[in-house]
């Protein structure tokens, strides 16, 4: 067991407009922090870098992984960087010291993962507490707390029963009995955001959206899916509106929905399978942006095979397409490889040589068919013996036994016959 | 046991008395004293791969050794007490027993063989072999009259108890014996005898070195020593000689 840790020393120098971060051992980690500092700098334009230097020590030794530093980076950029937050950033770095221990057989990647924060390792109330503690950094204090994400094995698999655009009937809580439109369904924590379940939230001016005019914003509150049921509007011939609320759903055969541009199953109310609840149209049409491929580009044929004589691909690409090192490919031994695999033989000792020489001199034993005399002798002896037996059952038994041949006997017989051929 | 040892050697060919007096047991016990204990080893040894690989066969799962196998494979390597691979232990391994209290509680206790460091003179190799040995081996070597005789004995029990270290020493000794026999009556060691009767005094390494300039010249592009050895180091002495003969090499300097 070999234990090593990566000690990074940050030095904040004053000579540049940004703050240059130098690292004694690990450039990768420091470059991230450097990036972070540059971000702060470009955003805020520190009037005086000495301000930082007075508060910070010139060198800050700390231990951290790249992921850790990155998460701190995100958090502190969210909470509007200024000098105090920067100080907070460094103080947090110092408090979250974590030496990375690497065993000799372990890769750095594996070792770095070992002590890392992973929410899936927490269960029950501890999971909720930890999640909330971490979520604090990513939102304003006025915004409603998110519901902890589910463990991977607890998450819903398959088609979501409720999607954005559906109507939902609230069955429990303060808003019980309301029918509202679903804004968003989140699979990670199995919650829905509803149109009518909102909370007034005060938003600082720096976080205002593009067309926001007030400090107060209606912010949807997440509700667990178990507190809502899927509802559908129904209009009869007279124009009366009624709602159908489905306690549970069944999915049936799939069809291609042109609005959603994908294959979806039809959904019916369980135990009332004549009532189909159609999928809602998407809330907003997808818009083209700078990264989207145009339809005409998709149908435009850009490559055509011109001749069989010339390969359509450059030769260097072929190895990438057909992996020559694939384990599924059968490979043959070369002469050199075969020779290397074969171990040398132990030389024969003097005694062994003598024994083999003697063995070579002795003639090989030949199997030959029995002579007539021998056959007569055996026959007469057997007849003598059989004449003595009076028990008919024993005679019957011997008769049966004589019909059987053992494989060894058969082999000898074959050998004799084969030699005669 | 000791009193049995003190008996004079009883001739085995005494069928009339052996049945009555139990002499046979006595005489065989005298043999037991020097018997190699190998029963455990043959039980716990893994079978070795005896396949003879040829060019064109499928590549096996095992890794191909970069420089090939130096020694023949040993079929009786036990799966535990691996330190015996590094010394001559005469098949002795760790033994276990139970210490049993009056109330019947059993405590496992282990007994290691009596191992000492020793320098044994090998007549054939003409050098001291410094290894860890069990004291049993020292007694056996004394009885056999030297480490060479001990290792070269061909009884199955001996083959099973000499261990990997002994097996490798045995190979070295036998190779040295072959060399000695070949170079009898010559001042220099003779590594190979040509069909014409001429004796080659150069080692395989030397022959490889001599072949290199020819191969280098034959290649269109210059080849490195490393790639040359990769393609030629596995050739046998005979094949190297043939290759040199084909290229009209003058053997006069390296033949006797």
């Amino acid at each position: 067991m070999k234990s090593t840790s990566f000690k990074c020393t940050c030095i904040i120098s004053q000579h540049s407009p940004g703050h240059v971060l130098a690292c004694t051992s690990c450039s990768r980690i420091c470059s991230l922090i450097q990036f972070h500092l540059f971000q702060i700098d470009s955003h805020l334009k520190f009037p005086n870098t000495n301000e930082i230097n007075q508060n910070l020590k010139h060198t800050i030794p700390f231990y951290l992984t790249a992921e850790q530093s990155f998460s701190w980076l995100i958090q502190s950029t969210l909470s509007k960087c200024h000098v105090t937050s920067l100080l907070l950033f460094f103080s947090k770095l110092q408090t979250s010291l974590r030496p990375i221990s690497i065993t000799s057989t372990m890769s750095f990647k594996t070792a770095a993962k070992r002590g890392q924060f992973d929410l899936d390792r927490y269960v029950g109330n501890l999971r909720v507490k930890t999640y909330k503690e971490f979520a604090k950094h990513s939102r304003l204090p006025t915004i409603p707390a998110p519901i902890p994400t589910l463990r991977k094995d607890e998450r819903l698999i398959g088609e979501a029963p409720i999607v954005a655009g559906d109507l939902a009937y609230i069955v429990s809580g303060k808003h019980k009995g309301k029918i509202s439109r679903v804004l968003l369904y989140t699979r990670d924590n199995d919650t829905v955001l509803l149109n009518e379940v909102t909370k007034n939230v005060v938003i600082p001016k720096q976080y205002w959206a593009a067309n926001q005019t007030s400090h107060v914003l209606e912010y949807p509150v997440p509700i667990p899916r178990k507190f809502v049921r899927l509802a559908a509007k129904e209009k009869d011939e007279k124009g009366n509106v009624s709602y159908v609320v489905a306690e549970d759903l069944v999915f049936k055969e799939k069809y291609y929905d042109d609005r959603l541009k994908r294959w979806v199953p039809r959904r019916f109310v369980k135990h009332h399978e004549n009532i189909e609840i159609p999928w809602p149209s998407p809330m907003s049409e997808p818009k083209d942006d700078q990264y989207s491929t145009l339809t005409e580009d998709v149908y435009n044929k850009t490559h055509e095979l011109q001749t069989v004589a010339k390969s359509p691909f450059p030769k260097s690409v072929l190895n990438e397409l057909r992996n020559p090192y694939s384990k599924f490919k059968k490979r043959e031994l070369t002469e050199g490889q075969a020779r290397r695999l074969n171990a040398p033989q132990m030389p024969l000792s003097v005694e062994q040589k003598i024994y083999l020489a003697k063995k070579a001199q002795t003639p090989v034993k030949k199997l030959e068919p029995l002579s007539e005399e021998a056959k007569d002798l055996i026959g007469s002896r057997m007849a003598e013996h059989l004449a003595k037996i009076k028990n008919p059952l024993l005679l019957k038994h011997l008769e049966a036994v004589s019909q059987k041949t053992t494989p060894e006997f058969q082999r000898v017989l074959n050998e004799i016959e084969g030699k005669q051929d | 046991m000791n009193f049995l040892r003190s008996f004079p050697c009883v001739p085995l060919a005494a069928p009339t008395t052996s049945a009555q007096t139990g002499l046979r047991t006595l005489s065989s016990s005298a043999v037991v004293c020097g018997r190699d204990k190998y029963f455990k080893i043959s039980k716990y040894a893994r079978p070795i791969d005896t396949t003879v690989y040829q060019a064109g066969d499928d590549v096996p799962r095992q890794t191909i050794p970069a420089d090939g196998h130096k020694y023949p494979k040993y079929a009786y390597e036990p799966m535990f007490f691996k330190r015996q691979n590094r010394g001559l232990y005469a098949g002795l391994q760790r033994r276990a027993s139970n210490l049993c209290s009056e109330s019947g509680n059993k405590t496992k206790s282990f007994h290691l063989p009596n191992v000492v460091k020793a320098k044994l003179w090998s007549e054939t190799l003409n050098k001291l072999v410094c290894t860890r040995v069990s004291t049993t081996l020292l007694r056996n070597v004394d009885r056999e009259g030297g480490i060479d005789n001990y290792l070269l004995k061909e009884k199955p029990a001996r083959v099973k108890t000499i261990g990997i270290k002994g097996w490798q020493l045995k190979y070295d000794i036998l190779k040295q014996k072959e060399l000695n026999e070949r170079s009898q009556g010559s001042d220099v060691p003779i590594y190979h005898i040509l069909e014409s009767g001429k004796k080659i005094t150069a080692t395989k390494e030397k022959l490889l070195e001599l072949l290199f300039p020819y191969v280098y010249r034959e290649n269109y592009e210059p080849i490195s020593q490393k790639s040359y050895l990769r393609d030629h180091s596995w050739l046998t002495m005979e094949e190297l000689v043939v290759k040199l003969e084909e290229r009209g090499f003058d053997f006069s300097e390296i033949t006797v």
Side-chain angles (χ1 to χ4, degrees), chain A residues 327 329-353, chain B residues 51-60 62 65-66 68-72 154 167 171 174 178 230 234 239:
Chain A
K327 66 173 178 180
K329 267 187 188 151
K330 248 190 175 183
R331 280 189 294 278
E332 288 181 346
L333 285 173
T334 60
E335 184 64 37
Q337 284 174 327
R339 295 278 190 97
R340 283 191 195 103
L341 272 169
N342 292 334
Q345 290 292 318
M346 184 63 88
L348 295 175
S349 66
V350 180
E351 292 81 41
Q352 280 173 325
K353 277 176 192 165
Chain B
T51 327
V52 178
Y53 292 98
Q54 282 170 346
D57 289 356
D58 291 345
V59 173
Q62 74 204 75
H69 294 280
K70 205 180 167 194
Y71 291 104
E154 280 300 332
W167 182 253
Y171 182 73
L174 284 171
E178 278 185 2
R230 193 170 55 228
W234 41 266
E239 284 165 335

Side-chain angles (χ1 to χ4, degrees), chain B residues 23-94:
Chain B
L23 270 178
R24 197 162 179 277
T25 28
L26 285 179
S27 59
S28 67
S29 318
V31 176
V32 161
C33 299
R35 188 160 69 188
D36 295 286
K37 289 171 186 172
Y38 61 88
F39 46 89
K40 239 183 172 179
I41 289 159
S42 53
K43 194 174 169 188
Y44 294 114
R46 272 207 198 96
I48 54 164
D49 179 20
T50 50
T51 327
V52 178
Y53 292 98
Q54 282 170 346
D57 289 356
D58 291 345
V59 173
R61 276 291 188 86
Q62 74 204 75
T63 48
I64 299 163
D67 301 325
H69 294 280
K70 205 180 167 194
Y71 291 104
K73 284 176 185 169
Y74 183 54
Y76 304 103
E77 185 197 346
M79 287 189 281
F80 56 90
F81 200 66
K82 287 289 183 179
R83 71 173 83 163
Q84 61 186 306
N85 290 351
R86 283 171 274 128
L88 301 170
Y89 279 42
L92 295 188
Q93 288 169 328
R94 193 183 76 161

